[in-house]
Structures are given as C-alpha cells and as structure tokens.
Amino acid sequence: MDTREVRMTNLFLQLGLPADAEAIAHFIVTNQLPEQVPLLEAPLWNESQRQFLREALESDGEWALVVDALSESLHEDAVKARTGL
C-alpha cells in the first residue's frame, strides 16, 4: 500500500521539479497557460512528466485531484482575465 501523502509538494517531486513552497509558487506564476491550452498539451513538460500527469488524471484517484489543482493554478490568470475576478 502506498502511504505517501499526495500533495502538491510530492507532485513536484514526482515530476523532478524543485518542490519547496517558493519554487512551486515561482513555477506557477512564471508558467501561466492560456485557457485553451490543456495541462497535458502545455510545452512545460518533457515526455515522462506528461506521461505521469496523464496516468495520474486517468487514475481518477488522489493524484488526479492534485494534478487538477495544478491545472487550475496554471490557468488562473487566463480565467481571471476572462471573468474579471
């Protein structure tokens, strides 16, 4: 049984990215995506990262929730621009 806590920090570790709070915040701020670009099609990822994200979403488990949260964070500016919120 996998007992690792599923959270954004661990997602970034799985992706091979710096995983401290400052690094995660910087990644999100500097890699905002247009609303029409799906997370898996973003040019941010190498193929193994993209595969991990795809499998996480397809599993529809705890990892999927964290990947969805990352997607929302990376699209935040575009959504704000569209909605004015």
Side-chain angles (χ1 to χ4, degrees):
M1 177 168 85
D2 188 358
T3 59
R4 289 176 295 175
E5 185 176 351
V6 177
R7 59 183 187 198
M8 193 69 69
T9 301
N10 289 333
L11 175 60
F12 272 67
L13 289 171
Q14 288 292 321
L15 294 171
L17 299 170
D20 59 272
E22 186 177 307
I24 292 170
H26 179 75
F27 181 88
I28 290 169
V29 167
T30 59
N31 290 290
Q32 287 292 298
L33 299 171
E35 202 169 5
Q36 70 275 12
V37 175
L39 179 70
L40 296 178
E41 293 178 19
L44 311 171
W45 316 117
N46 64 37
E47 194 50 44
S48 63
Q49 291 168 324
R50 192 178 324 280
Q51 181 66 27
F52 177 81
L53 293 168
R54 182 179 297 112
E55 289 173 4
L57 289 170
E58 289 172 355
S59 76
D60 201 29
E62 290 182 71
W63 279 114
L65 296 174
V66 179
V67 173
D68 283 340
L70 176 60
S71 180
E72 286 179 21
S73 295
L74 290 172
H75 289 97
E76 186 173 355
D77 288 353
V79 171
K80 282 181 181 177
R82 178 178 50 84
T83 63
L85 299 177

